[in-house]
Amino acid sequence: MKKIQMVDLRSQYLNIKTEIDKGIQEVIDACAFINGPAVQTFQKNLEQYLGVKHVIPCANGTDALQVAMMALNLKPGDEVITTSFTFIATAEVIALLKLTPVLVDVDPDTFNIDPRAIERAITPKTKAIVPVHLFGQTAPMEEIMEIAGKHNLHVIEDNCQAIGSDYIFKDQERKKAGTIGHIGCTSFFPSKNLGCYGDGGAIFTNDDELARQMRVVVNHGMTVRYYHDYVGVNSRLDSIQAAILNVKLGHLDEYAAKRRLAADFYDNAFANNPRLKTPCRFTRSTHVFHQYTLETRNVDRKALIEYLASKDIPAMIYYPVPLHMQKAYLDPRYKPGDFPVTEHLCETVFSLPMHTELDTEQLAHITQSVVEFLNQ
Ligand SMILES: *Cc1c(COP(=O)(O)O)cnc(C)c1O
């Protein structure tokens, strides 16, 4: 059996090697390393794929979030509402810009931000909401946009984990995750659903003025060459990474289908197991399974992960610590117990290998080993 990995980038590369190598070689032959044609082509292709007016490539997903907040001209002390169950980057940029992160709990089934909790957290200082489309499904954007509209707030979607996912509105209209709020952000970190071979990111918007502003921010706040009207940052997508992304974007839907097949295999194997709760499929979103995350019930999670490791099966905990209990983010406004759903998930969830190259033999070994541990 092929060695099981959380993400098997090498096997995926070998299947697209000819296209990838050609794309990289073209950039080197042209020596167009910064903002070369590959970047422009990728920008256009991604705009078309997402059905969004503007894609602004940048250096990584964390920068994408930071640039979005800078472009909205948020001021120190402005409150930004986000989820307590996410990767740290979301809260990190809020803190770096001296904005005030306001955390809210998540839905116990989808693990995504709970719109009712958002509404309760709004104050006169609230300026923006940052929903995270966690593990590959879109947060309830229709409700979130309604709340934002009512209170005149901006919505920045952290779409680092759900690129390619469709949000399905009540009238059945579909939009791509990341294109529903005022701004969407994504990461092309290698292990993301659309990953490059280094760092990369992008920002999406349908708003011409915000797009103009964000293009200025990513380029040192420069309006006319060497005239700087704003304090900006340097955040670019490298041309070689863009060439790789151009190839992988062509495979993105096929990759999502492969992830779904692996998820179906897991779902079937664990169906009706009283000690495991398989991922909920939110009716308003397609699932692109960035992660396959199970909730355990009365299971010694540490022992389970150790047992799997003894069978050469990796497993991870996303995420072990809620944001409000991270040392760097301890805040007198929050204490343990404030976000019971998040705290419960941090104690009980674990994620199994999920990528585009899992074969039936590997999936059978993984599921049999999990069941074996639970039955012992
Ligand atoms: C990966 C990720 C980020 C950060 O992306 P980088 O490209 O690593 O900076 C931000 N938010 C979420 C939810 C992520 O999963």
Side-chain angles (χ1 to χ4, degrees), residues 110-130:
T110 64
F111 310 158
N112 272 323
I113 195 163
D114 176 357
R116 283 159 307 178
I118 294 178
E119 201 142 34
R120 287 196 296 271
I122 291 174
T123 75
K125 286 190 179 165
T126 310
K127 290 287 152 53
I129 307 170
V130 185

Side-chain angles (χ1 to χ4, degrees), residues 74-330:
L74 302 180
K75 297 277 186 297
D78 286 351
E79 292 179 359
V80 178
I81 297 177
T82 193
T83 156
S84 45
F85 190 50
T86 180
F87 178 59
I88 201 70
T90 323
E92 187 174 50
V93 297
I94 299 174
L96 277 174
L97 294 173
K98 305 226 172 336
L99 311 172
T100 305
V102 174
L103 303 178
V104 304
D105 214 346
V106 296
D107 177 271
D109 293 321
T110 64
F111 310 158
N112 272 323
I113 195 163
D114 176 357
R116 283 159 307 178
I118 294 178
E119 201 142 34
R120 287 196 296 271
I122 291 174
T123 75
K125 286 190 179 165
T126 310
K127 290 287 152 53
I129 307 170
V130 185
V132 179
H133 304 321
L134 201 71
F135 300 154
Q137 310 193 90
T138 318
M141 286 306 293
E142 204 162 4
E143 285 85 344
I144 293 170
M145 293 311 290
E146 252 172 51
I147 295 167
K150 206 157 71 182
H151 298 272
N152 205 14
L153 308 174
H154 280 108
V155 176
I156 302 171
E157 293 172 69
D158 181 340
N159 193 30
C160 292
Q161 299 190 1
I163 195 158
S165 158
D166 282 327
Y167 185 81
I168 306 154
F169 287 78
K170 292 194 187 92
D171 65 5
Q172 298 305 306
E173 187 197 4
R174 283 172 177 243
K175 281 190 187 167
K176 290 281 176 210
T179 68
I180 304 154
H182 302 90
I183 303 176
C185 297
T186 205
S187 162
F188 304 124
F189 186 83
S191 63
K192 306 282 176 172
N193 288 39
L194 179 59
C196 57
Y197 293 174
D199 274 308
I203 318 162
F204 330 131
T205 187
N206 283 307
D207 184 312
D208 297 338
E209 181 49 32
L210 277 176
R212 193 196 61 78
Q213 189 65 23
M214 291 191 289
R215 291 207 167 91
V216 170
V217 173
V218 296
N219 190 23
H220 298 290
M222 188 158 82
T223 43
V224 175
R225 186 170 278 228
Y226 303 128
Y227 289 78
H228 303 271
D229 292 358
Y230 308 92
V231 175
V233 295
N234 170 24
S235 189
R236 293 186 283 245
L237 178 67
D238 177 290
S239 298
I240 289 180
Q241 301 305 339
I244 293 161
L245 289 165
N246 261 323
V247 173
K248 289 186 68 174
L249 180 59
H251 295 278
L252 186 59
D253 287 341
E254 163 208 329
Y255 285 166
K258 287 183 168 176
R259 288 170 176 274
R260 264 180 228 122
L261 276 179
D264 290 344
F265 192 105
Y266 285 140
D267 279 358
N268 284 332
F270 303 135
N272 310 320
N273 191 317
R275 297 169 70 198
L276 294 174
K277 184 176 162 200
T278 55
C280 147
R281 312 272 184 124
F282 179 41
T283 50
R284 303 236 154 266
S285 170
T286 60
H287 205 321
V288 293
F289 285 101
H290 176 59
Q291 298 299 346
Y292 186 88
T293 302
L294 292 145
E295 199 182 321
T296 58
R297 293 188 177 118
N298 302 318
V299 173
D300 182 345
R301 180 176 62 166
K302 189 161 168 275
L304 167 60
I305 292 173
E306 278 165 12
Y307 182 78
L308 293 176
S310 76
K311 303 257 164 184
D312 289 321
I313 300 166
M316 295 287 287
I317 297 171
Y318 303 115
Y319 295 95
V321 183
L323 281 188
H324 68 295
M325 287 157 76
Q326 293 284 1
K327 202 168 155 194
Y329 293 82
L330 292 175

